[in-house]
Amino acid sequence: MRRREFTLLGLAGLGLPALAQDRAFAAIAEDFLEALWKLDPDAAVAAGRFEFAGRVTLPSSAQRQRMRAFTKHWLARLQRLPDAPLATADRMDRDMLVAKLQSDLWRLDTLREWSWNPAEHNPAAPLDLLLNTDYAPLAARLKALQPRIAALPAYYRAARDSLGRVTREHTELAIQQAPGVLGLLDDIGARAAEAHQAAAFKAPLARARAAVNGYVAHLKGLKPARGFRLGAALYEPKFAHDIQSARTGRETYELALQRREEVLTSMQAQAAALWPTVMGSEPPPADRFALIGRVIDKLSERHVARERFVDEIRAQIPQLEAWVRDHDLLSQDLAKPLQVRETPVYQRGVAGASIEAPGPYRPQDKTYYNVTPLTDLTPAEAESSLREYNHWILQILNIHEAIPGHYTQLVHANRVPSKVKALFGNGAMVEGWAVYGERMMMESGYGASPEMTLMYGKWHLRSVTNTVLDYSVHVLGMAEAEAMDLLVRQAFQTEREAREKWRRVQLTSVQLTSYFSGYSEIFALREQLKARPGFKLKDFHEQFLSYGNAPVRLIAAEMLKA
Ligand code: ZN
Ligand code: ZN
């Protein structure tokens, strides 16, 4: 509300009809999206738009040429729009679209991941969505799947032609993902049989399977000629495009080192204070990592029973809602309580707990908090997960994922009628908010105890260490053994968690910095505004979230203006 008033005043000063201008920009954004969905039906399907689902695009140089021309056309068109008549929200949308298009162009022509990452060419995601989303009756979905299955041999031919100097790690990933694609083809065959269409699908599915296997055989014959590390020359521009921070990658890394030291110092004091009650009469070790690690290890024994894991998470959600309400931290939408459920089997994979929210084209769909039960794990694996998500950390996980983290942020973001912000939202803002929310809840006294403070330190250190790790590995050449030591001994992670992280940092770059980058910018903004008279925490949260999923840098510019 406050923001709209401000906008209207600004426009009145210029003597421009605000509504007409709003509509004009909305129409341009709408034109852009419709053109994008036509050009890239896979992106459309991912966004929840299914009209062009039966259209096939190949990862070919011809398609890349079409994307390049499209991107340049729209970039020029959006950059021509003058600032002055645009409302604040529209100006942000325009800036976000320009940034997205610049990023797309940079990826296409400079990063060129399509030439060195064989896993980039994976047709499974849209096939999976078409098969498993109830957007239309099964027969209609099979009809959309048919041309896609028929095109898989051409798809993999184009993929092979695109590849040049590949990395070993991404080639291995693509080979590891092949059984998943084959499994999906089996599922499609089974659903086709259900719909009495087995005969029509039999031969195309056989050719599709052969194409997947042919791609794998081709990949096994390639000689990797590129390292997985991004290097400084690509890292800074990628950081700038993906994170949209006011800081550079280097500056963010240096800030993370500083924060790491602060967190470790406070954890050391906390662990020393806890030592006698937790560890008894044994003298505490002098080494700070050993001291903190031993206390955390002992405390981790306190955890929920394996079969109670999902129920316990379900029980905590109303407690978090009540805390946020009673402490006047943020408004919530009580008409739409968050539904906790076991992750659907076909979605189970990497993430143990995550928010699944419908996109802007499916507002009728529910938002779920998906939690993967520990039933499929061996006793040792389950114990390791339970120690990781112990009594204290499980609460922080729920703060991060649900309230006041991702779920609450999403409820606020959905009030912003901007498809641009919903579709191309800034990941660092979204993750940063969840990480900020953890700290803010601790500051409000939630679960206050020395044990909670120590465990929060461990959890927070994970976000900070993600940034240190990403920059160290991709720019500074950190070796595997050093990385494992950073994660296990110096950040108190389990061997298993650290292994997964090492794998992730080999396969991705920059994304791991989004948590700390977003958090540090939100926190700095709050501290800056706190110094102003009349600062109210709830108002700060409400206003910050009212801009939707925009980069913190753009939100900060607006909030500091007022
Ligand atoms: Zn146990
Ligand atoms: Zn998150």
Side-chain angles (χ1 to χ4, degrees):
M1 277 301 126
R2 195 174 37 236
R3 183 162 58 89
R4 181 154 300 159
E5 259 166 13
F6 170 73
T7 304
L8 286 171
L9 280 175
L11 288 166
L14 293 161
L16 287 158
L19 268 168
Q21 287 299 338
D22 282 357
R23 287 221 188 92
F25 178 79
I28 294 172
E30 206 57 39
D31 282 356
F32 164 76
L33 289 173
E34 292 309 309
L36 177 64
W37 304 147
K38 281 201 192 92
L39 183 69
D40 191 350
D42 290 3
V45 166
R49 285 283 300 269
F50 297 98
E51 303 97 294
F52 314 110
R55 268 175 51 183
V56 177
T57 52
L58 305 176
S60 62
S61 60
Q63 175 67 6
R64 285 191 290 275
Q65 190 47 44
R66 281 190 284 274
M67 291 298 293
R68 190 176 289 115
F70 171 90
T71 306
K72 285 182 175 167
H73 165 80
W74 280 98
L75 203 46
R77 197 165 160 194
L78 289 161
Q79 281 174 326
R80 270 203 308 273
L81 287 179
D83 269 8
L86 291 180
T88 308
D90 290 340
R91 188 160 33 76
M92 272 184 173
D93 276 11
R94 192 271 318 265
D95 290 350
M96 285 174 71
L97 280 181
V98 165
K100 175 208 153 32
L101 291 168
Q102 283 171 334
S103 168
D104 288 349
L105 207 54
W106 181 81
R107 281 168 184 273
L108 215 44
D109 290 336
T110 306
L111 187 63
R112 295 164 60 91
E113 192 159 354
W114 48 266
S115 75
W116 53 262
N117 177 0
E120 184 97 325
H121 310 302
N122 185 337
L127 297 180
D128 185 8
L129 282 166
L130 291 179
L131 186 68
N132 290 306
T133 311
D134 255 338
Y135 71 93
L138 180 60
R141 280 143 57 203
L142 287 169
K143 199 170 163 224
L145 281 163
Q146 210 152 20
R148 287 176 172 269
I149 303 291
L152 282 183
Y155 180 96
Y156 282 110
R157 268 197 305 278
R160 278 190 220 187
D161 290 346
S162 298
L163 295 177
R165 288 155 46 92
V166 298
T167 80
R168 181 170 55 80
E169 292 74 12
H170 295 93
T171 305
E172 282 170 3
L173 174 67
I175 293 169
Q176 281 163 13
Q177 287 176 340
V181 182
L182 292 171
L184 192 56
L185 295 177
D186 290 346
D187 291 349
I188 292 171
R191 301 302 299 275
E194 258 173 54
H196 308 289
Q197 293 188 37
F201 273 84
K202 190 164 186 261
L205 278 174
R207 283 191 290 271
R209 282 191 198 95
V212 177
N213 291 324
Y215 189 55
V216 169
H218 177 75
L219 294 182
K220 285 183 173 161
L222 289 180
K223 271 235 168 343
R226 183 190 172 101
F228 73 87
R229 295 173 207 278
L230 207 57
L234 288 174
Y235 193 91
E236 284 296 350
K238 189 167 194 251
F239 184 88
H241 284 302
D242 290 2
I243 303 292
Q244 296 284 323
S245 164
R247 302 190 183 104
T248 64
R250 176 92 209 176
E251 286 163 357
T252 305
Y253 162 71
E254 279 165 3
L255 199 63
L257 286 181
Q258 208 182 307
R259 179 72 185 142
R260 186 180 116 88
E261 196 46 46
E262 280 168 25
V263 175
L264 284 170
T265 303
S266 111
M267 287 176 85
Q268 181 173 10
Q270 211 62 244
L274 277 165
W275 184 274
T277 34
V278 177
M279 306 302 289
S281 57
E282 187 191 335
D287 176 70
R288 106 170 148 179
F289 294 113
L291 170 74
I292 300 169
R294 291 280 307 279
V295 177
I296 285 179
D297 204 43
K298 181 76 188 157
L299 288 174
S300 300
E301 286 171 10
R302 185 167 168 202
H303 59 72
V304 71
R306 176 179 179 162
E307 60 281 4
R308 286 263 319 139
F309 188 66
V310 179
D311 290 340
E312 176 60 28
I313 290 176
R314 194 173 280 127
Q316 280 180 19
I317 299 305
Q319 296 168 17
L320 290 168
E321 266 165 8
W323 182 274
V324 166
R325 186 187 55 238
D326 297 346
H327 293 76
D328 209 23
L329 300 174
L330 199 54
S331 70
Q332 302 173 88
D333 189 350
L334 297 170
K336 287 188 229 153
L338 178 59
Q339 207 163 322
V340 181
R341 69 167 179 184
E342 295 193 359
T343 312
V345 174
Y346 77 89
Q347 288 180 27
R348 289 182 194 176
V350 204
S354 62
I355 295 291
E356 180 185 339
Y361 294 116
R362 315 253 317 150
Q364 70 279 17
D365 291 4
K366 277 191 177 139
T367 297
Y368 294 105
Y369 186 6
N370 287 337
V371 182
T372 304
L374 305 177
T375 38
D376 295 341
L377 303 180
T378 66
E381 286 168 347
E383 177 64 15
S384 169
S385 285
L386 289 165
R387 290 175 62 91
E388 190 65 35
Y389 293 101
N390 58 52
H391 175 73
W392 299 276
I393 299 270
L394 191 60
Q395 299 177 61
I396 307 175
L397 173 74
N398 289 328
I399 289 171
H400 178 103
E401 296 294 339
I403 296 163
H406 290 319
Y407 172 67
T408 309
Q409 189 265 325
L410 194 77
V411 168
H412 284 256
N414 285 344
R415 295 175 186 163
V416 182
S418 157
K419 288 200 186 90
V420 170
K421 292 192 188 78
L423 290 164
F424 311 119
N426 180 265
M429 180 270 175
V430 170
E431 285 307 339
W433 172 262
V435 175
Y436 166 77
E438 298 156 9
R439 176 164 185 171
M440 185 265 287
M441 287 291 273
M442 296 302 123
E443 289 169 339
S444 79
Y446 178 83
S449 69
E451 291 87 349
M452 181 60 111
T453 308
L454 183 66
M455 286 296 181
Y456 167 72
K458 173 186 142 116
W459 178 272
H460 183 68
L461 194 59
R462 180 152 95 169
S463 297
V464 176
T465 306
N466 281 346
T467 290
V468 174
L469 178 75
D470 196 72
Y471 192 86
S472 301
V473 168
H474 284 290
V475 180
L476 306 177
M478 179 181 267
E480 179 177 355
E482 269 179 282
M484 287 299 289
D485 184 65
L486 175 71
L487 296 166
V488 176
R489 188 177 61 88
Q490 303 177 57
F492 321 105
Q493 299 183 7
T494 61
E495 181 80 18
R496 183 153 156 240
E497 195 196 351
R499 281 260 147 253
E500 279 166 18
K501 195 57 61 70
W502 170 246
R503 184 175 149 79
R504 185 166 155 196
V505 78
Q506 287 176 291
L507 296 173
T508 71
S509 50
V510 174
Q511 198 276 334
L512 279 171
T513 67
S514 60
Y515 307 84
F516 175 73
S517 169
Y519 151 83
S520 60
E521 291 197 306
I522 296 170
F523 188 76
L525 173 65
R526 187 191 78 179
E527 295 307 287
Q528 209 174 334
L529 288 170
K530 218 182 199 172
R532 294 185 180 177
F535 174 88
K536 282 211 182 64
L537 189 62
K538 186 179 184 180
D539 291 349
F540 167 74
H541 293 153
E542 302 273 315
Q543 200 192 346
F544 180 82
L545 293 182
S546 74
Y547 296 96
N549 305 330
V552 181
R553 176 175 56 87
L554 296 185
I555 299 175
E558 291 304 325
M559 288 180 77
L560 292 169
K561 229 187 241 175

